[in-house]
Amino acid sequence: ESPGQLYAPQGLAFDSHGSLFVADLLNARVQVFSADGEYLRHFGERGTFPQQLENPKDLAFDSEGNLYLTDSRRPYFRIFSRSA
């Protein structure tokens, strides 16, 4: 799917700036949209290496702006630092 197109979207989370993060399960990525619904960017790619995603399922932000991501095919969750 092209950037901005979703294939089996799962979890949703808003950051402190109002951007919407979507766990795009079958595209193996997280897509980010503005509060107005405009596509901004995405991250993640399909693969089995630790830095890659397989089936991102859900996500949430903590009070410091760190993003927590679960992947239904991985036995752990990932934390993306706001400063990274």
Side-chain angles (χ1 to χ4, degrees), residues 1-37:
E1 302 289 323
S2 298
Q5 294 182 325
L6 300 166
Y7 188 27
Q10 298 292 308
L12 307 172
F14 286 95
D15 70 6
S16 62
H17 299 97
S19 295
L20 174 64
F21 287 64
V22 181
D24 193 3
L25 182 80
L26 296 180
N27 281 325
R29 63 187 176 194
V30 173
Q31 296 206 59
V32 184
F33 298 88
S34 72
D36 296 325

